[in-house]
Amino acid sequence: MKVTDHIKNANGKTLFSFEIVTPVKGKNIQDLYNNIDPLMEFNPPFIDVTTSREEYVYVERDGLLDRKTIRKRPGTLGISVSLKHKYNIDPVPHVLCGGFTKEETEYLLVDCHYLEVDNLVALRGDAMKHQQYFEPTKGGHRYACELVHQISDLNKGKFLHEENITGFKTDFCIGVAGYPEKHMEAPSLQTDLKRLKAKVDAGADYVVTQMFFDNSKYFEFVKMAKEAGIDIPIIPGIKPLAVQRHLQLLPHVFSIDLPEDLIDAVEKCKDNKAIRQVGIEWAIQQSKELRDFGVPVLHYYSMGKSDNVKAIASALF
Ligand code: FAD
């Protein structure tokens, strides 16, 4: 079922969902299940599955370095479909511009359709590790908006190069990313919202936000989005802070601010166990306020470990 239908069917009740990161190549899928199992009691109607783009590695051969392109975290579609079979939950694989040609994307979309995957999140992806800025893959898309167009076209039965092929039509529900504190490359929040509106006009059905720790940023974002004519569900993404390192890492990687009260609470902690607890309590407060605001879904970034998300969900669902 589509994410938007899950939201409609909930009749205003806030739903619980989360995102998982695909395991590093060679890891057993059972580790992933062990982290998902404890969250099943909260009835997530859908689970997001991230996609990681390719990386370059250098392998020494005959005294020379040979550059190889690898994917350290394969398996997005396989894991998505296994979630559907094992838990009867709708998977939401993430589809990227970076690392894929338009033809490879079309191939992936056709597979998703055959495998009865109803939802996708369409994303640009980040720059490769050695690049400062994102560079489109040769033959691929530059912006997520173009990817949304491609998916919307297929929803109308329109393939990349062929005329309409009678009888074939996908019906994907399309999610896109939104940034309450603006995307790091956007010159302003207003401009970023214009880009978000372009994704909606191209066919996006709902937005999932980047993590934020100050709810007022989300409330302001939703207000500004409405004023910009964006009238689709905006699902807040919540990450429980878990280790001391997050104080530097999260602002650096995601271009977000952390509230002073949260920083103070973390700095008073003696160890990471205490920090994990602070992160849980902060996320519970955030989630309660968001639920009271009437958000359609509380969507958690689990980052492969579920104990803290379980503690938060237990306080809310
Ligand atoms: P876009 O919407 O294309 O925007 C990227 C930048 O370009 C923005 O600054 C925007 O303002 C600007 N822009 C857009 N259109 C135009 C235009 N026409 N002209 C000029 N500028 C323009 N990354 C992964 O690699 N794998 C994942 O699974 C993944 N999941 C994510 C899930 C969520 C909920 C979020 C919020 C992010 C996720 N990301 C993931 C990270 C994401 O790929 C990065 O944040 C990426 O840098 C931007 O992706 P986007 O889809 O928002 O890009």
Side-chain angles (χ1 to χ4, degrees):
M1 198 197 280
K2 294 181 175 189
V3 166
T4 44
D5 288 333
H6 282 297
I7 292 173
K8 265 182 223 140
N9 293 348
N11 286 321
K13 192 171 153 251
T14 300
L15 300 169
F16 164 77
S17 79
F18 59 95
E19 175 189 286
I20 55 166
V21 178
T22 48
V24 174
K25 190 153 55 178
K27 281 248 179 189
N28 197 311
I29 196 166
Q30 189 56 45
D31 293 347
L32 188 68
Y33 294 151
N34 292 345
N35 270 294
I36 294 175
D37 287 345
L39 300 176
M40 284 306 110
E41 63 177 284
F42 308 109
N43 301 319
F46 62 92
I47 300 175
D48 276 49
V49 186
T50 60
T51 294
S52 300
R53 65 173 302 175
E54 79 284 21
E55 290 176 35
Y56 291 148
V57 291
Y58 293 88
V59 183
E60 201 187 321
R61 184 166 300 155
D62 303 330
L64 293 172
L65 288 179
D66 196 7
R67 193 175 82 179
K68 299 277 177 209
T69 308
I70 60 154
R71 283 182 195 276
K72 282 194 182 155
R73 292 178 179 273
T76 301
L77 187 55
I79 286 171
S80 296
V81 175
S82 73
L83 293 181
K84 202 173 159 77
H85 282 288
K86 188 170 163 59
Y87 301 106
N88 194 22
I89 286 178
D90 282 304
V92 187
H94 292 186
V95 182
L96 301 182
C97 303
F100 298 88
T101 64
K102 294 171 197 172
E103 285 73 16
E104 284 166 339
T105 297
E106 184 168 274
Y107 197 85
L108 173 69
L109 296 178
V110 171
D111 272 348
C112 286
H113 175 69
Y114 287 149
L115 290 164
E116 298 179 6
V117 169
D118 296 330
N119 304 282
L120 304 165
V121 171
L123 299 144
R124 187 195 71 177
D126 284 320
M128 286 180 81
K129 284 203 173 121
H130 66 281
Q131 295 168 338
Q132 194 179 1
Y133 297 106
F134 177 85
E135 284 171 25
T137 298
K138 194 164 178 275
H141 297 295
R142 179 178 286 275
Y143 296 113
C145 179
E146 298 167 7
L147 176 57
V148 176
H149 264 297
Q150 183 179 359
I151 303 169
S152 295
D153 277 350
L154 207 58
N155 278 350
K156 293 177 200 124
K158 201 167 148 201
F159 284 80
L160 280 175
H161 306 300
E162 293 92 330
E163 291 296 296
N164 288 5
I165 295 175
T166 327
F168 185 96
K169 228 182 202 193
T170 57
D171 189 19
F172 294 116
C173 174
I174 309 168
V176 290
Y179 302 84
E181 297 180 62
K182 90 170 184 65
H183 184 259
M184 63 189 85
E185 294 160 29
S188 72
L189 185 53
Q190 279 294 358
T191 308
D192 208 22
L193 277 160
K194 271 191 219 154
R195 309 303 185 198
L196 181 58
K197 176 73 165 60
K199 292 193 270 192
V200 177
D201 292 345
D205 297 293
Y206 70 100
V207 178
V208 188
T209 76
Q210 182 57 278
M211 65 182 74
F212 55 89
F213 290 85
D214 175 353
N215 284 348
S216 67
K217 303 267 171 68
Y218 171 84
F219 299 143
E220 183 61 17
F221 178 69
V222 169
K223 184 171 159 268
M224 288 175 76
K226 284 224 169 80
E227 285 163 5
I230 295 167
D231 199 17
I232 55 175
I234 301 182
I235 298 175
I238 299 156
K239 176 173 167 48
L241 191 137
V243 290
Q244 173 82 30
R245 200 165 42 94
H246 279 161
L247 288 188
Q248 286 78 43
L249 191 80
L250 301 179
H252 177 67
V253 175
F254 299 107
S255 191
I256 52 167
D257 277 348
L258 298 180
E260 287 306 320
D261 288 354
L262 177 60
I263 300 167
D264 288 348
V266 170
E267 285 182 341
K268 281 190 196 125
C269 291
K270 292 207 174 66
D271 53 27
N272 273 339
K273 189 168 171 235
I275 293 174
R276 209 167 173 81
Q277 191 54 32
V278 164
I280 290 170
E281 281 160 25
W282 189 273
I284 289 174
Q285 288 317 315
Q286 253 196 295
S287 304
K288 283 186 172 163
E289 199 185 10
L290 289 163
R291 187 184 56 187
D292 292 347
F293 180 76
V295 297
V297 184
L298 287 163
H299 183 71
Y300 296 93
Y301 295 114
S302 78
M303 306 289 191
K305 292 263 185 291
S306 61
D307 61 315
N308 50 3
V309 176
K310 182 177 162 91
I312 298 158
S314 302
L316 279 125
F317 294 96

